[in-house]
């Protein structure tokens, strides 16, 4: 059989990254369709949770408290102008229109 295939791990990674692309697209769609809303997608960082329990570099992970800083800031701040709606935000990074 010469069809391409993925291992269970490969499928997991592909589906995870695909879901992030969908989330980014939906964020931009909501911002464009509802200009009265301020819509953001965010990445809290590499947070030490059960999802990353097998991650090789455990010492580089941040705490749940540290990971909550971006979502909490977005929820509580008056800083991001409505023109910034539809953007992706991550810890220590400028807003961008797309998550790589």
């Amino acid at each position: 059989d010469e069809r391409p295939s993925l291992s269970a791990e490969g499928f997991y990674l592909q589906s995870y990254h695909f879901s992030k692309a969908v989330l980014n697209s939906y964020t931009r769609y909501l911002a464009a369709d509802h200009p009265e809303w301020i819509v953001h997608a965010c990445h809290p960082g590499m947070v030490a949770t059960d999802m990353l329990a097998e991650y090789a570099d455990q010492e580089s992970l941040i705490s749940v408290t540290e990971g909550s800083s971006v979502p909490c800031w977005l929820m509580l701040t008056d800083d991001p102008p409505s023109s910034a709606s539809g953007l992706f935000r991550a810890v220590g990074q400028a807003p961008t229109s797309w998550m790589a």
Side-chain angles (χ1 to χ4, degrees), residues 2 4 8-9 17 19-20 23-24 45 48-49 55 65-67 69 72 83 88 92 99:
E2 295 193 23
E9 294 83 13
H17 292 293
S19 72
K20 299 302 150 202
L23 176 64
N24 282 314
T49 62
Y55 187 65
T65 301
E66 292 170 307
S69 65
C72 288
S83 63
F88 170 78
M99 176 181 79

Side-chain angles (χ1 to χ4, degrees), residues 37-99:
W37 297 356
I38 298 176
V39 184
H40 295 281
C42 71
H43 174 49
M46 297 290 286
V47 180
T49 62
D50 290 345
M51 183 175 149
L52 294 176
E54 301 298 319
Y55 187 65
D57 190 12
Q58 289 288 311
E59 293 184 17
S60 70
L61 301 178
I62 62 175
S63 72
V64 172
T65 301
E66 292 170 307
S68 68
S69 65
V70 171
C72 288
W73 176 78
L74 286 170
M75 185 173 55
L76 299 172
T77 190
D78 292 328
D79 186 35
S82 59
S83 63
S85 188
L87 298 179
F88 170 78
R89 295 187 179 252
V91 175
Q93 295 180 6
T96 181
S97 61
W98 180 250
M99 176 181 79

